[in-house]
Amino acid sequence: MAYNVAVIIGSLRKDSFTRKVFNAASKLAPSTLKFEVVEIGNLPLFNQDTEAGDAAVKAFRDKIAAADAVLFATPEHNRSVPAALKNALDWASRPWGQSKWGGKPAAIISTSIGNIAGFGANHHLRQTLAFLNMPTLGQPEAYVANANTVVDDKGEIVAASKDFFTGFFAAFADFIKKHK
């Protein structure tokens, strides 16, 4: 059985290391995972006065609702998730009682060009996902340090990281199966 996985990339930069890591690593996923990157850069700032949202919000919420699972790929901004990612989480969780996240299995890939590998962002995101009732893959954890060196000039994951990502995506596919 194939699973439709919404991918939320926390970095808005078109050439971000996080996006490059996901694009390259996703090639190592089993064929049972069908990824769709759901862009978040066009969402307005969440405001409860306008929580019905606009066309961009409706399209975003519909894509999350249609997904079987969600993969978050995020850099770390100031030891937390980027503002755009938090904004997206808020939009799809509202209005109260109509969250599109609830019950969807999730996994996180956090990235950094430094050695901490997005640890703070990863754990802050896990706190939010727990509140949103999203079972989140615990093992293996995907902390990608030195993200600027993990993808080669051909857009492929470097040899030293291939086994890790192959195992990560296999574990995520099994996790989705257990929670669907």
Side-chain angles (χ1 to χ4, degrees):
M1 173 170 188
Y3 299 106
N4 295 317
V5 179
V7 179
I8 308 297
I9 298 177
S11 177
L12 300 182
R13 190 168 66 93
K14 288 179 184 175
D15 202 30
S16 75
F17 295 118
T18 302
R19 188 175 296 269
K20 286 180 180 180
V21 168
F22 166 73
N23 286 339
S26 66
K27 297 172 190 174
L28 302 171
S31 61
T32 55
L33 299 182
K34 304 296 182 197
F35 297 111
E36 179 186 1
V37 175
V38 181
E39 299 296 344
I40 62 176
N42 61 342
L43 297 173
L45 289 177
F46 177 77
N47 178 340
Q48 192 172 4
D49 291 339
T50 60
E51 75 179 339
D54 61 8
V57 170
K58 181 176 180 350
F60 176 73
R61 290 173 51 82
D62 288 348
K63 286 181 180 183
I64 299 305
D68 296 311
V70 182
L71 173 67
F72 295 91
T74 187
E76 182 172 290
H77 290 184
N78 299 316
R79 298 288 188 255
S80 188
V81 297
L85 175 52
K86 179 61 169 81
N87 187 55
L89 290 164
D90 291 345
W91 272 119
S93 72
R94 302 294 299 190
W96 180 256
Q98 298 177 35
S99 176
K100 303 303 180 195
W101 304 113
K104 292 193 187 291
I108 302 168
I109 298 172
S110 59
T111 65
S112 170
I113 60 171
N115 292 328
I116 296 178
F119 180 86
N122 194 306
H123 283 262
H124 273 180
L125 183 53
R126 286 177 185 279
Q127 288 177 318
T128 303
L129 299 183
F131 176 78
L132 294 174
N133 191 31
M134 295 182 77
T136 305
L137 180 65
Q139 294 295 324
E141 295 176 300
Y143 301 100
V144 182
N146 306 305
N148 55 319
T149 66
V150 176
V151 178
D152 66 21
D153 57 355
K154 296 176 186 165
E156 303 294 327
I157 292 293
V158 297
S161 297
K162 282 187 177 181
D163 286 345
F164 170 77
F165 280 111
T166 299
F168 173 80
F169 284 118
F172 188 35
D174 288 343
F175 186 76
I176 295 168
K177 184 177 180 180
K178 289 177 187 170
H179 287 88
K180 288 305 294 177

